[in-house]
Amino acid sequence: MMLPDLGSLLGFSTEKIEKGDFILLSDRNADASFLINHFLSLYLRAGCKVCFLGLVQSFSHYSAVALRLGVNLVQAREQGQLVFLEGLKDSVGQLLQQGPDSEAYPMGFLRGSQTDLRSLFRFVQRSVGGAGEWSPSILLVDDLSVLLSLGVSVEAILDFSHYCRTTVCHQLQGNMVMLVRVGEDEDDEEGPELLLKALTHQCSLALSIQGLPTGYCRDIHGQVEVRWKERGPGAAGPGGALAQKKLLQYKVHDKGVSFFARGTSSAVL
Amino acid sequence: MLAESGILLSVRSGSPFLIGSPERSDVSLLVKVLMNMAMSVSNTGERRSQQNTRPACNTTSFQKKSRSKLVSIPGTRPSVQNGQLIVSTGVTSLDYVIEEDKYDSYSRMLLKYFLAEGVVCGHHVFLGSARDPPDEIMQDLPAPILDDIPSNAVNMGQVTACDSEDQGSMKIAWRYQNLPKVQTALASSSRFGHYYDASKTMARELREAVKCSTFFLPHELPAESHAEPSPISEAYRLLLRSIQELIRQEGFDGTAPQKSRNILRIGLHSLGSPLWADDICCEEKPTQASSLTSFLYGLRALLRSSLCTCMVTVPSHLIQNRAIMDRVTRLCDTAIALESFRGSERETNPLYKDYHGLLHVKQTPHLNCLVCEAPDTKDLAFKLKRKQFSIERLHLPPDLSDTVSRSSKADVAESARLLSSACGGLATSNKHLDF
């Protein structure tokens, strides 16, 4: 179990996967990519069918990290459990407008002739459907905000995430995990902040990673704020706010992450 | 391939009381990147004795035990942490972003060091520029300070101890002895980093011994541009294409035979400035806001799948939109910002009199691993001496003025008196207490 503290807090385990969850990961002045790696390992171990949009790193990077967490991505891909989009690989050809222009390319929006992420969504649709022996279907995106850097509008990204959520969470009763990275200044940025706010309203669980408010520390890498909707009979409906909150601090190690309550880091005690 | 931003981080725990440790810092070691090649280098399966394998080194947080069984390319070293090849001043498939200082003096210096290291190691060098002709920059590279070891011995891996610095036991500041040394020790025989003399330029023979490709925008940009709408501008597209072609031609993407593999060092000067036909420095809401970031994404893609490392300098002080700079930083592996004191009020500030500027580490790389190597502290300052560009932890100069100590002694006596009277009367009167 990779995240024992966080997992038990949220009711996550490889034996029991919630259905229809939209998990939003965000970071501000920190790096939340370790969370995406953990979720990837978690879902693969639980036997889910995973579609991973790796837009910012190469496959070998995720593979190397996953090996440390005990999961073999190469094998999962060969067996069909994992469908991996290596965004970087096709991007140069699309940016330089080499090769034919077709909707079949998931990264085709880089050409500039498409204003939306239709081709990327079609790829997701093809990948999560027909799960077969692996179930439920999971979509992981690392990360959504890089699309803003590539000239895609906020509206197009929100449309894309809406389509994905409808397909993955509602139709297929699977889960979706997306990472959004925002900058330091809360008021300044338009793109990522808007994206984050809109997606926060739609998600059922939000993990926000931040640097420590008091500054940089080598032993405590940051803090994570967990907000989630109440489940069960007394809970608000799907439109309910993320009522439950918890604040923890974390430190990333070579093979995992440790979470602890504020002020209880081993560096302090 | 992703270019990751440069690394920088050879920090030395600078304390004014250290005795017996020679000052050694090398900019190439300073920029240490613990990044590994994105492209997995095939294990040769045999331990090459000529490989510069380093033994375990526990003096710095950036050096690890080296694993053998990796392809041997001169001027590179395998990183233990994630099995990537480390190049001095960088890691292959990484690129560094250096936020320029106001007058672009120190960032240019770092770029030249980066390229000079490439020349000395025999790597293939690529230089892209829009303002100064690349040949001029190449002619101005600093001369390396070479030992009297013939070049044949370059590939002889002499296993030397990493902590070759003379530790010396400290007598006065013995408490500092236990501080972990962040300085990377340079074993000169392993040829992993070099020192440069900034006052001399590199000899022409040395420079011409390596292959150098250049890209000078005024020569490459066609008079008429018929660009279709695209997230990336014409200028950057041409640059990206020329890098892609070079990689394909020379086989840096793995198609070259193993024996003749080499590293491509890419230096890009002042990306984002108006000379690259980019208006992010002119407008707060530029028309092609995502042009530079799209280029960096493409560059990242190219770097991740080939044996390359890249250093990019960006005039961030001109970029008006903070968000764009954040995105640029995120698209790179290592990002450092140089803030020189020249021309600012800090130049005359006595606190900073030992240094030429501050250095901010914005981002550290973590390729192929979960955790990023973070420096102990982020308060770093740099100074450019004739034979070194050193980066040190910012520390206050020792408090040696008389007036200050006198008043502090008086304070101490005062407080001691108060204390003693509270405790029940010891005759202290004017006695000084020395702590």
Side-chain angles (χ1 to χ4, degrees):
Chain A
M1 184 54 196
M2 291 127 301
L3 300 175
D5 310 317
L6 198 60
S8 55
L9 172 73
L10 302 169
F12 269 63
S13 72
T14 48
E15 292 84 38
K16 176 182 148 237
I17 299 280
E18 289 290 336
K19 303 259 168 107
D21 257 353
F22 172 18
I23 301 169
L24 182 66
L25 310 174
S26 66
D27 66 30
R28 186 189 301 278
N29 204 16
D31 194 351
S33 50
F34 67 90
L35 279 178
I36 272 273
N37 286 300
H38 277 289
F39 276 110
L40 176 61
S41 314
L42 172 76
Y43 287 124
L44 282 175
R45 279 199 199 186
C48 305
K49 169 103 195 237
V50 177
C51 172
F52 192 98
L53 302 185
L55 299 176
V56 288
Q57 297 279 18
S58 61
F59 177 71
S60 50
H61 164 83
Y62 294 111
S63 185
V65 178
L67 273 178
R68 283 162 198 259
L69 299 175
V71 172
N72 191 333
L73 289 194
V74 177
Q75 204 178 46
R77 192 162 67 163
E78 279 167 9
Q79 289 170 353
Q81 188 191 6
L82 170 67
V83 179
F84 194 97
L85 172 69
E86 206 172 338
L88 288 170
K89 215 162 77 166
D90 302 324
S91 61
V92 181
Q94 299 297 315
L95 277 173
L96 295 178
Q97 291 168 352
Q98 297 162 343
D101 187 1
S102 135
E103 262 207 16
Y105 293 112
M107 300 296 286
F109 59 91
L110 288 173
R111 272 188 188 258
S113 49
Q114 299 174 19
T115 48
D116 54 28
L117 295 171
R118 206 172 303 205
S119 44
L120 191 60
F121 171 67
R122 297 258 183 267
F123 174 84
V124 171
Q125 229 181 4
R126 288 195 298 268
S127 315
V128 294
E133 58 183 292
W134 312 105
S135 156
S137 301
I138 309 285
L139 172 66
L140 291 158
V141 182
D142 178 20
D143 68 76
L144 212 52
S145 34
V146 78
L147 295 170
L148 288 167
S149 304
L150 295 170
V152 185
S153 66
V154 179
E155 293 81 19
I157 301 179
L158 286 173
D159 284 342
F160 168 74
S161 75
H162 175 74
Y163 271 82
C164 287
R165 191 164 141 250
T166 314
T167 309
V168 176
C169 300
H170 294 165
Q171 285 175 5
L172 297 174
Q173 285 293 300
N175 289 354
M176 188 164 86
V177 181
M178 289 188 164
L179 172 61
V180 176
R181 310 193 67 186
V182 294
E184 292 182 23
D185 206 337
E186 288 198 25
D187 305 316
D188 220 19
E189 289 192 73
E190 292 181 348
E193 285 295 337
L194 271 183
L195 196 58
L196 182 64
K197 283 197 183 123
L199 291 176
T200 307
H201 281 297
Q202 299 172 15
C203 71
S204 47
L205 170 65
L207 290 159
S208 318
I209 301 283
Q210 271 182 330
L212 290 177
T214 43
Y216 171 73
C217 171
R218 201 164 63 122
D219 294 305
I220 304 172
H221 289 157
Q223 66 186 28
V224 51
E225 190 190 34
V226 185
R227 286 181 295 163
W228 68 98
K229 286 193 182 136
E230 197 59 71
R231 295 182 207 279
L242 298 169
Q244 306 289 323
K245 242 198 244 199
K246 187 122 184 167
L247 195 61
L248 297 166
Q249 289 176 341
Y250 71 91
K251 179 173 180 183
V252 185
H253 305 290
D254 203 37
K255 295 203 178 210
V257 184
S258 58
F259 290 89
F260 37 85
R262 279 187 296 175
T264 58
S265 154
S266 55
V268 168
L269 293 178
Chain B
M1 302 167 280
L2 281 176
E4 293 185 286
S5 36
I7 10 180
L8 233 246
L9 311 160
S10 307
V11 194
R12 199 169 37 157
S13 59
S15 160
F17 305 112
L18 280 174
I19 300 168
S21 61
E23 281 193 28
R24 295 179 78 181
S25 49
D26 181 24
V27 78
S28 55
L29 280 182
L30 291 179
V31 183
K32 245 194 198 190
V33 173
L34 298 175
M35 300 202 242
N36 292 337
M37 259 191 343
M39 183 175 80
S40 49
V41 180
S42 57
N43 295 341
T44 55
E46 54 169 352
R47 191 200 171 109
R48 298 201 186 198
S49 56
Q50 289 161 352
Q51 176 69 334
N52 2 345
T53 49
R54 278 170 165 257
C57 178
N58 46 13
T59 52
T60 76
S61 51
F62 296 114
Q63 294 202 358
K64 314 271 180 183
K65 289 193 184 70
S66 81
R67 229 184 280 145
S68 59
K69 301 190 184 182
L70 280 181
V71 169
S72 121
I73 298 179
T76 66
R77 189 176 64 118
S79 151
V80 170
Q81 195 190 26
N82 37 24
Q84 285 183 329
L85 277 184
I86 301 183
V87 180
S88 89
T89 68
V91 167
T92 53
S93 79
L94 278 177
D95 86 328
Y96 304 82
V97 151
I98 301 205
E99 293 185 30
E100 290 175 6
D101 53 307
K102 219 154 97 182
Y103 302 108
D104 189 26
S105 37
Y106 299 106
S107 40
R108 260 174 87 102
M109 201 68 229
L110 281 180
L111 195 62
K112 285 186 198 162
Y113 273 118
F114 180 76
L115 296 169
E117 183 67 24
V119 171
V120 172
C121 292
H123 298 158
H124 192 134
V125 170
F126 176 96
L127 177 56
S129 157
R131 189 179 72 187
D132 306 311
D135 296 327
E136 276 181 26
I137 301 181
M138 287 303 289
Q139 276 160 19
D140 209 19
L141 295 182
I145 299 169
L146 294 172
D147 296 342
D148 292 323
I149 299 178
S151 56
N152 293 339
V154 165
N155 285 333
M156 301 276 230
Q158 290 158 27
V159 173
T160 43
C162 286
D163 44 347
S164 59
E165 275 193 0
D166 183 27
Q167 298 265 349
S169 61
M170 296 181 218
K171 294 187 177 54
I172 298 175
W174 56 272
R175 274 288 178 205
Y176 287 102
Q177 186 117 28
N178 299 328
L179 275 184
K181 282 214 162 36
V182 195
Q183 160 68 349
T184 65
L186 172 59
S188 56
S189 55
S190 69
R191 294 284 114 194
F192 188 62
H194 301 89
Y195 295 128
Y196 295 92
D197 188 344
S199 59
K200 301 188 194 142
T201 54
M202 190 182 272
R204 187 151 34 122
E205 304 82 44
L206 197 60
R207 210 174 353 112
E208 287 176 358
V210 297
K211 284 196 216 168
C212 178
S213 317
T214 57
F215 178 95
F216 187 41
L217 187 66
H219 292 166
E220 308 277 345
L221 204 54
E224 298 275 323
S225 61
H226 351 259
E228 295 138 26
S230 162
I232 190 173
S233 74
E234 181 79 22
Y236 292 137
R237 200 177 323 144
L238 289 170
L239 178 59
L240 194 64
R241 189 176 303 152
S242 109
I243 297 177
Q244 185 196 41
E245 277 168 10
L246 180 65
I247 289 173
R248 281 195 188 150
Q249 271 168 18
E250 303 285 330
F252 290 111
D253 50 2
T255 53
Q258 228 172 45
K259 292 226 176 72
S260 65
R261 275 196 191 162
N262 203 352
I263 307 278
L264 174 65
R265 279 184 187 242
I266 304 173
L268 299 175
H269 183 242
S270 226
L271 280 191
S273 75
L275 291 163
W276 284 98
D278 201 345
D279 60 353
I280 52 177
C281 291
C282 314
E283 313 271 341
E284 200 170 325
K285 293 213 193 285
T287 49
Q288 285 212 301
S290 56
S291 190
L292 175 61
T293 43
S294 304
F295 168 76
L296 287 175
Y297 189 81
L299 184 61
R300 193 174 165 112
L302 284 176
L303 293 184
R304 283 282 192 267
S305 58
S306 63
L307 284 165
C308 299
T309 176
C310 176
M311 181 182 276
V312 172
T313 68
V314 174
S316 62
H317 54 274
L318 295 175
I319 294 179
Q320 308 204 6
N321 195 338
R322 187 70 224 161
I324 295 184
M325 204 52 226
D326 279 338
R327 287 181 210 171
V328 165
T329 306
R330 293 234 186 80
L331 278 170
C332 299
D333 296 318
T334 312
I336 53 173
L338 295 174
E339 186 190 333
S340 91
F341 297 145
R342 196 187 287 183
S344 79
E345 65 214 9
R346 288 189 182 172
E347 205 170 3
T348 46
N349 189 332
L351 269 183
Y352 295 130
K353 67 174 164 34
D354 288 332
Y355 303 108
H356 288 137
L358 292 178
L359 196 144
H360 308 281
V361 177
K362 292 281 174 77
Q363 184 158 280
T364 46
H366 54 116
L367 266 201
N368 289 7
C369 55
L370 264 183
V371 62
C372 51
E373 280 293 340
D376 280 335
T377 170
K378 287 200 170 171
D379 294 320
L380 302 170
F382 66 87
K383 59 181 168 218
L384 176 62
K385 300 191 270 202
R386 194 163 61 91
K387 292 206 175 176
Q388 335 171 13
F389 182 102
S390 73
I391 297 179
E392 297 170 5
R393 190 180 293 175
L394 181 66
H395 58 266
L396 296 175
D399 188 11
L400 293 172
S401 72
D402 287 331
T403 49
V404 176
S405 56
R406 227 182 287 135
S407 60
S408 68
K409 276 185 187 165
D411 284 346
V412 161
E414 179 75 19
S415 58
R417 200 161 8 103
L418 287 173
L419 198 64
S420 57
S421 58
C423 292
L426 284 169
T428 46
S429 55
N430 288 330
K431 203 170 174 184
H432 287 296
L433 284 175
D434 280 323
F435 291 105

